[in-house]
Amino acid sequence: MTVRTEIRKSRWTGERIARLGFLLGMGWDAKRIADDPLISSTPNNVHRQAQRFGLAFRAAAAALALRLPPDATARFDAAAARRSLTREAMIRVLLLVVAADPALIDNILDDGF
């Protein structure tokens, strides 16, 4: 029987802390962050370190959860993956871009209906 062990990083360097903050800002969940090669930790430790360094998981990402048709979900997921974003982060970016230009809101809504 072979026992496989993983070596996890133990010291939180400035580079790892910055990466943690960046990934949190991108809307990644704890499991995805823990699997990042630079972080290489457990989801539980990611939560502890985020709290330790005053970082927070975005409540906005959960509040932005939308029910979309499967075809729209697939398009958003594909576009988000190309940009290394979550679907929620991608939708947030789109909403901010649209909100920055009131004429764009009207044009999208008028052309879409």
Side-chain angles (χ1 to χ4, degrees), residues 3-54:
V3 177
R4 183 176 159 223
T5 60
E6 291 185 26
I7 298 172
R8 299 285 187 171
K9 296 185 186 299
S10 61
R11 193 164 167 329
W12 282 86
T13 62
E15 183 181 21
R16 283 181 79 205
I17 296 165
R19 180 75 175 165
L20 173 62
F22 174 76
L23 297 176
L24 282 170
M26 297 283 289
W28 287 24
D29 64 24
K31 169 126 180 51
R32 192 170 174 195
I33 293 171
D35 291 340
D36 181 81
L38 183 59
I39 300 297
S40 186
S41 188
T42 64
N44 193 29
N45 189 37
V46 166
H47 277 287
R48 280 194 312 268
Q49 299 308 321
Q51 183 177 21
R52 174 181 168 204
F53 298 119

Side-chain angles (χ1 to χ4, degrees), residues 32 66 68-91 94:
R32 192 170 174 195
L66 301 172
L68 300 171
D71 58 329
T73 299
R75 285 192 296 270
F76 277 120
D77 285 343
R82 286 191 301 271
R83 292 160 180 85
S84 297
L85 296 171
T86 63
R87 179 186 330 136
E88 292 79 10
M90 170 81 171
I91 292 170
L94 286 171

